[in-house]
Every structure is written in C-alpha cells, then in structure tokens.
Amino acid sequence: MESHDGAWSLKEVQKLEGHTDRVWSVAWNPAAGVAGVPAMLASCSGDKTVRVWEQNPSSSSWFCKAVLDETHTRTVRSCAWSPSGKLLATGSFDATTAIWENVGGDFECVSTLEGHENEVKSVCWNASGSLLATCGRDRSVWIWEVLPGNEFECASVLQGHTQDVKMVQWHPTMDILFSCSYDNTIKIWAEDGDDDWHCVQTLSEANGGHTSTVWALSFNTAGDKMVTCSDDLTIKVWETDSAKMMSGDGYVPWSHVCTLSGYHDRTIFSVHWSREGIIASGAADDAIRFFVESKDGSVDGPSYKMILRNEKAHDMDVNSVRWSHGENRFLASASDDGTVKIWELVPVI
Amino acid sequence: MRKGSSSTASPSNGREGKAPSDRSTDVRPEPADTSSDILDSSLDLEEAHFREGYSDGHRHGVAAGREEGRQVGLKTGFETGEEVGLYRGCVGVRGSAIRADPTRYSARVQKSVRTMEALLDGHPTTEPEDELVQEMVGDLRLKSRAVRASLGAKLENRGYLKGVDNEDVEF
C-alpha cells in the first residue's frame, strides 16, 4: 500500500437485515455503482431466497429492491453477476443453478441448469461472460456456454477432485478455471481445443499447499497472484509468471510464494483481493481481517502483514467478504447471523 | 615248563562277529520301506488328515468360488450392460434424429453424440476388467451427463445406475 502506512479502521456503513436464515454469499453488480447507476448487491441465504439490495443515490442508504423466491427449493449457496450485470446466476443445494435476468428492475428466472447430482456450492462467470462454471458436492465441475436467448449448453463435466468442490473462480483475464475443494487441493483447468477441458495443474500439500479444506480463492487485478484460504487456519499466496502467461505460449504453472499463519485461529471461509491490493478475509471467529504486501524488502520472497482486524464484525461466522468494484474501499460481508453488512475501510490519519 | 594260553584272538578267522550283510547299527527302516513298520501308520495319520482336509476344502472352495464369481459377474455384467445399453439407445435415437433433421440439435450436441457413437463402437464386451474399458465407460458417462444437461433431458428411471451418493437421489 503505497498511499498509507499508518493505521486503518473499518466503518460499518449499514447492516442489511431481511434474510431469515444464514447468509452464505454476496456479490456486487459490476455494472452498477458507476456512471450514475445506483450500486447494487445480491445476497443468498439458507432461507432459499436471493435478495437484491440497491443504494439510494440521494440518501446513500441501502434498501431491499427485490426478493427472488419460489424458485430454489433449498438453501441458495452462491450468487454471481455476469460481467454485463444483466444476469445473476444462483447455485443451490437443490442441485440446480438458476439464471435470473434483470428486466427493468424486475428479476425473472429465465433458465434453470440441471446436471449436478447434489448440492451446488459455487457459481462463477468468466471475464467475457461467455462461460459459467459451477461446482458441487458431487465432486464435479461443470462448464456451461452461454448462447443467445439465455440458452445454456453444457460444454464439459470435469472430474478430478476426490471430495466436495467448494468454489470455482475464473482467472480475471484468461479462460482458465480454478477450483478448490474439501480434498485440500486447488485444481486448474484449461481448454485444449474444442470443449476439451482437463486439469493442467493441481496445487496440493506437496507443492506447499493447504493441509485441510480449501474454502476460497481470489486473484489480484493483474491476474498474476492468487490468494487462497483454508480450514488449516492459513492464507496462502501463489504466483505465476505473468510475462510468459501473456505470451500465450502454453500453460504457465503457479507456485506457492507465501503462507500467512498465526493470524487466524478458526477456519477462514472467504478471501478477496481488492483492486488496490488489500486482501480481506472472513472467518469462523466472526472477524474480518485485512492484509497487504509488506515492502520490507525480504530476500525470501514477498511477505504480507495484517493491517487491521475487526473482531466482532458479525455475531456469528463470516461466510463471505467481497470488495466492491468501484474506486472506493467498500466491502460487503455475509454471515451465519443472517445479516449482510456494508463496510468502508478508511485510513486513520 | 607250562605253555600259557593266549587271550588274543588270532585274526585268522576274519573280523569277529560281523556278518557281511549287517553294515549298520541303526534300527530305523529305510524311508521307502514304510510298510515294514507297524508304527509308520500313526506317524502318517496326521499327514493323511491334513491332505484329506486340504483336498476337501479345495474342492468346496472351488465350487463356492465359482458360484460367488458367477453371482458377482452377473451383477457387474448386468450393471455395465444396463449402462452401456442406455447410452447405445440414447445415441441411436439421437443419431437418427440428427440424420433425419440436421438442424435438430446444436453443433456441440451433435459432436458429442458422434463421439459417444465412436466410443461405443470401440467398446469391447469381452474384457470387463480392462482399465481402458472402464475409462471408456467413464467417458461415456460424463459425455452423457453433459448432453442430457444441454438438452434439459432427465433420467426418469435410474435403474441400477450408480449416482455419486450410491443410493436413491435423496437429499
């Protein structure tokens, strides 16, 4: 963090209440919050609904714009906006993924993707919005292609993980898919020609990886660094050679560069890397923590330091933390306590 | 003077007390000569029982193993046959639909159907334990799931097809 070496504080902007069960995930609409479009956020819950929240431009306060219900028959575990902000994908324990379209403020379920044999755990769109990835307890990762007319076709069913797959994330600039699992590994999937996807690398304990369930992963803006968090109480940072990656000369492997341990004493469920390079983490101890790269000129590779810990961010486990896309330092968090909170990270002068 | 009698035997009549045929002082019979001793049968009894027991067990084992193998083979064969048969049927129907109307399915679905056809044609029915064959069935399974998902088709009756949870689809 070039701009501020001093202390930071986390300001609670608003607490969004309404869900009647734990909130699993939040997602900021990438097309909102800019160019006069009011900021928009989706949250999904154990109460089988998805809530869309919007910020009132004049009062700056958030209200619940829509409740997407009567579609999923079980917990909605994950939600993700397409890059255009027009579609919202929601993955549920009922083994389906619903696709909702934002039609002038009203949300309509335009498609239901079936295929997983049991609970869907995560959904994610690629950078161009042409592909959607889903994963679940059936240990498989599915890649769907988005076709005109909100039609979806399954491009590939990927098997390789030996346990429940917790999260899928596309690389921010390339169509390479990352998945992390209860089997302690992170798998990287790439396409070798027409619909021919396969696992090109597995990051396991042997490569300096986690020793327990990997719950989440996130990339920095440039796409040459990745942060992962785990049940093993550590956060790990990985790197790839970005120059080689850009040259498009075949797959460039990722390697472990740093482990942040001793900061968490309960499972870390979520990590997210901001545009500026601040890593936020949400954990089972109800706290949110923030880390930045430490410019202490360490010879052994990069190192990170914790800049803030907000101990009682929620009354229960923090399941998800997400930075907003904008220029600001707004963060949304979702918790087992049934609430979503909007925060602002501010430097203390 | 009196002539003394000599106590040393003269060696003139050969070795004393030894008949030419009596070379050994060992009373045990030669191994081949088991019938010559009535005690032999008691030593052999243990070995005889062992041999009898072994051959009985072996005979029963072979019979039971064959029967069990038959059951397992029938079950596995049925399961594999049912699964591969399902794929053959689906591919047959979809292949016909495509030939009747080439615009019927998307390019991707058509390609998947063709790939499945090729896998099925290359699928031998005589080497069930060949790993490559099992891999082929695995590939068919994945392709089938992808095609079904793309078409929005559902399996009405799972039959014996194994799901991930290995039981009825029940959450």
Side-chain angles (χ1 to χ4, degrees), chain B residues 10-27:
Chain B
S10 71
S12 63
N13 63 350
R15 265 168 279 190
E16 202 167 75
K18 284 197 193 266
S21 64
D22 204 4
R23 271 178 239 112
S24 162
T25 53
D26 194 340
V27 295

PDB file of all heavy atoms in Angstrom, chain B residues 10-27:
ATOM      1  N   SER B  10      43.293-114.748  17.347  1.00  0.00           N
ATOM      2  CA  SER B  10      44.110-114.603  16.149  1.00  0.00           C
ATOM      3  C   SER B  10      43.208-114.081  15.028  1.00  0.00           C
ATOM      4  O   SER B  10      42.046-114.421  14.969  1.00  0.00           O
ATOM      5  CB  SER B  10      44.731-115.943  15.784  1.00  0.00           C
ATOM      6  OG  SER B  10      43.727-116.826  15.292  1.00  0.00           O
ATOM      7  N   PRO B  11      43.780-113.208  14.218  1.00  0.00           N
ATOM      8  CA  PRO B  11      42.949-112.610  13.166  1.00  0.00           C
ATOM      9  C   PRO B  11      42.696-113.556  11.993  1.00  0.00           C
ATOM     10  O   PRO B  11      42.189-113.166  10.964  1.00  0.00           O
ATOM     11  CB  PRO B  11      43.760-111.399  12.750  1.00  0.00           C
ATOM     12  CG  PRO B  11      45.166-111.749  13.069  1.00  0.00           C
ATOM     13  CD  PRO B  11      45.161-112.759  14.199  1.00  0.00           C
ATOM     14  N   SER B  12      43.002-114.755  12.191  1.00  0.00           N
ATOM     15  CA  SER B  12      42.944-115.670  11.059  1.00  0.00           C
ATOM     16  C   SER B  12      41.501-115.956  10.624  1.00  0.00           C
ATOM     17  O   SER B  12      41.258-116.212   9.432  1.00  0.00           O
ATOM     18  CB  SER B  12      43.646-116.982  11.402  1.00  0.00           C
ATOM     19  OG  SER B  12      42.976-117.637  12.487  1.00  0.00           O
ATOM     20  N   ASN B  13      40.485-115.865  11.508  1.00  0.00           N
ATOM     21  CA  ASN B  13      39.123-116.163  11.043  1.00  0.00           C
ATOM     22  C   ASN B  13      38.349-114.867  10.689  1.00  0.00           C
ATOM     23  O   ASN B  13      37.138-114.793  10.768  1.00  0.00           O
ATOM     24  CB  ASN B  13      38.390-117.011  12.083  1.00  0.00           C
ATOM     25  CG  ASN B  13      38.219-116.244  13.392  1.00  0.00           C
ATOM     26  OD1 ASN B  13      38.821-115.162  13.573  1.00  0.00           O
ATOM     27  ND2 ASN B  13      37.462-116.790  14.290  1.00  0.00           N
ATOM     28  N   GLY B  14      39.013-113.812  10.326  1.00  0.00           N
ATOM     29  CA  GLY B  14      38.292-112.604   9.850  1.00  0.00           C
ATOM     30  C   GLY B  14      37.817-111.753  11.027  1.00  0.00           C
ATOM     31  O   GLY B  14      38.148-111.978  12.185  1.00  0.00           O
ATOM     32  N   ARG B  15      37.020-110.724  10.689  1.00  0.00           N
ATOM     33  CA  ARG B  15      36.532-109.792  11.728  1.00  0.00           C
ATOM     34  C   ARG B  15      35.537-110.526  12.600  1.00  0.00           C
ATOM     35  O   ARG B  15      34.675-111.235  12.111  1.00  0.00           O
ATOM     36  CB  ARG B  15      35.901-108.561  11.094  1.00  0.00           C
ATOM     37  CG  ARG B  15      36.908-107.455  10.991  1.00  0.00           C
ATOM     38  CD  ARG B  15      36.414-106.358  10.127  1.00  0.00           C
ATOM     39  NE  ARG B  15      36.657-106.765   8.717  1.00  0.00           N
ATOM     40  CZ  ARG B  15      36.518-105.973   7.691  1.00  0.00           C
ATOM     41  NH1 ARG B  15      36.094-104.781   7.876  1.00  0.00           N
ATOM     42  NH2 ARG B  15      36.793-106.411   6.494  1.00  0.00           N
ATOM     43  N   GLU B  16      35.656-110.272  13.857  1.00  0.00           N
ATOM     44  CA  GLU B  16      34.883-111.035  14.812  1.00  0.00           C
ATOM     45  C   GLU B  16      33.431-110.578  14.854  1.00  0.00           C
ATOM     46  O   GLU B  16      33.139-109.389  14.969  1.00  0.00           O
ATOM     47  CB  GLU B  16      35.513-110.870  16.200  1.00  0.00           C
ATOM     48  CG  GLU B  16      35.144-112.012  17.148  1.00  0.00           C
ATOM     49  CD  GLU B  16      36.021-111.982  18.379  1.00  0.00           C
ATOM     50  OE1 GLU B  16      35.751-111.090  19.226  1.00  0.00           O
ATOM     51  OE2 GLU B  16      36.930-112.797  18.477  1.00  0.00           O
ATOM     52  N   GLY B  17      32.464-111.428  14.760  1.00  0.00           N
ATOM     53  CA  GLY B  17      31.051-111.140  14.996  1.00  0.00           C
ATOM     54  C   GLY B  17      30.388-110.305  13.915  1.00  0.00           C
ATOM     55  O   GLY B  17      29.312-109.756  14.111  1.00  0.00           O
ATOM     56  N   LYS B  18      31.000-110.122  12.786  1.00  0.00           N
ATOM     57  CA  LYS B  18      30.334-109.238  11.805  1.00  0.00           C
ATOM     58  C   LYS B  18      30.015-110.007  10.556  1.00  0.00           C
ATOM     59  O   LYS B  18      30.897-110.502   9.868  1.00  0.00           O
ATOM     60  CB  LYS B  18      31.272-108.070  11.444  1.00  0.00           C
ATOM     61  CG  LYS B  18      31.325-107.048  12.546  1.00  0.00           C
ATOM     62  CD  LYS B  18      31.891-105.739  12.017  1.00  0.00           C
ATOM     63  CE  LYS B  18      32.217-104.873  13.196  1.00  0.00           C
ATOM     64  NZ  LYS B  18      31.144-103.974  13.526  1.00  0.00           N
ATOM     65  N   ALA B  19      28.691-110.117  10.300  1.00  0.00           N
ATOM     66  CA  ALA B  19      28.269-110.800   9.081  1.00  0.00           C
ATOM     67  C   ALA B  19      28.401-109.803   7.928  1.00  0.00           C
ATOM     68  O   ALA B  19      28.220-108.615   8.123  1.00  0.00           O
ATOM     69  CB  ALA B  19      26.805-111.231   9.225  1.00  0.00           C
ATOM     70  N   PRO B  20      28.663-110.204   6.766  1.00  0.00           N
ATOM     71  CA  PRO B  20      28.871-109.283   5.631  1.00  0.00           C
ATOM     72  C   PRO B  20      27.634-108.377   5.378  1.00  0.00           C
ATOM     73  O   PRO B  20      27.762-107.222   5.004  1.00  0.00           O
ATOM     74  CB  PRO B  20      29.109-110.205   4.439  1.00  0.00           C
ATOM     75  CG  PRO B  20      29.452-111.522   5.021  1.00  0.00           C
ATOM     76  CD  PRO B  20      28.879-111.602   6.395  1.00  0.00           C
ATOM     77  N   SER B  21      26.407-108.884   5.572  1.00  0.00           N
ATOM     78  CA  SER B  21      25.212-108.066   5.243  1.00  0.00           C
ATOM     79  C   SER B  21      24.838-107.052   6.345  1.00  0.00           C
ATOM     80  O   SER B  21      24.064-106.135   6.118  1.00  0.00           O
ATOM     81  CB  SER B  21      24.042-109.023   4.998  1.00  0.00           C
ATOM     82  OG  SER B  21      23.782-109.718   6.221  1.00  0.00           O
ATOM     83  N   ASP B  22      25.326-107.176   7.492  1.00  0.00           N
ATOM     84  CA  ASP B  22      24.902-106.335   8.622  1.00  0.00           C
ATOM     85  C   ASP B  22      25.811-105.115   8.785  1.00  0.00           C
ATOM     86  O   ASP B  22      26.601-105.043   9.685  1.00  0.00           O
ATOM     87  CB  ASP B  22      24.925-107.223   9.872  1.00  0.00           C
ATOM     88  CG  ASP B  22      24.005-106.698  10.945  1.00  0.00           C
ATOM     89  OD1 ASP B  22      23.289-105.681  10.696  1.00  0.00           O
ATOM     90  OD2 ASP B  22      23.999-107.279  12.023  1.00  0.00           O
ATOM     91  N   ARG B  23      25.686-104.087   7.945  1.00  0.00           N
ATOM     92  CA  ARG B  23      26.635-102.971   7.906  1.00  0.00           C
ATOM     93  C   ARG B  23      26.303-101.870   8.923  1.00  0.00           C
ATOM     94  O   ARG B  23      27.165-101.140   9.354  1.00  0.00           O
ATOM     95  CB  ARG B  23      26.622-102.316   6.517  1.00  0.00           C
ATOM     96  CG  ARG B  23      27.600-102.959   5.578  1.00  0.00           C
ATOM     97  CD  ARG B  23      27.528-102.338   4.209  1.00  0.00           C
ATOM     98  NE  ARG B  23      27.199-103.388   3.233  1.00  0.00           N
ATOM     99  CZ  ARG B  23      26.069-103.476   2.579  1.00  0.00           C
ATOM    100  NH1 ARG B  23      25.129-102.596   2.752  1.00  0.00           N
ATOM    101  NH2 ARG B  23      25.859-104.487   1.745  1.00  0.00           N
ATOM    102  N   SER B  24      25.007-101.693   9.268  1.00  0.00           N
ATOM    103  CA  SER B  24      24.633-100.538  10.095  1.00  0.00           C
ATOM    104  C   SER B  24      24.047-100.979  11.411  1.00  0.00           C
ATOM    105  O   SER B  24      23.442-102.032  11.509  1.00  0.00           O
ATOM    106  CB  SER B  24      23.625 -99.697   9.321  1.00  0.00           C
ATOM    107  OG  SER B  24      22.949 -98.839  10.191  1.00  0.00           O
ATOM    108  N   THR B  25      24.166-100.139  12.469  1.00  0.00           N
ATOM    109  CA  THR B  25      23.583-100.461  13.762  1.00  0.00           C
ATOM    110  C   THR B  25      22.281 -99.680  13.979  1.00  0.00           C
ATOM    111  O   THR B  25      21.651 -99.742  15.000  1.00  0.00           O
ATOM    112  CB  THR B  25      24.559-100.117  14.912  1.00  0.00           C
ATOM    113  OG1 THR B  25      24.953 -98.753  14.732  1.00  0.00           O
ATOM    114  CG2 THR B  25      25.767-101.023  14.919  1.00  0.00           C
ATOM    115  N   ASP B  26      21.824 -98.899  12.964  1.00  0.00           N
ATOM    116  CA  ASP B  26      20.599 -98.054  13.030  1.00  0.00           C
ATOM    117  C   ASP B  26      19.366 -98.939  12.912  1.00  0.00           C
ATOM    118  O   ASP B  26      19.251 -99.705  11.967  1.00  0.00           O
ATOM    119  CB  ASP B  26      20.632 -97.027  11.895  1.00  0.00           C
ATOM    120  CG  ASP B  26      19.611 -95.922  12.091  1.00  0.00           C
ATOM    121  OD1 ASP B  26      18.645 -96.097  12.855  1.00  0.00           O
ATOM    122  OD2 ASP B  26      19.788 -94.859  11.450  1.00  0.00           O
ATOM    123  N   VAL B  27      18.426 -98.857  13.879  1.00  0.00           N
ATOM    124  CA  VAL B  27      17.240 -99.731  13.826  1.00  0.00           C
ATOM    125  C   VAL B  27      16.099 -99.131  12.991  1.00  0.00           C
ATOM    126  O   VAL B  27      15.120 -99.777  12.705  1.00  0.00           O
ATOM    127  CB  VAL B  27      16.719-100.091  15.229  1.00  0.00           C
ATOM    128  CG1 VAL B  27      17.748-100.913  15.961  1.00  0.00           C
ATOM    129  CG2 VAL B  27      16.377 -98.819  16.014  1.00  0.00           C
TER     130      VAL B  27
END
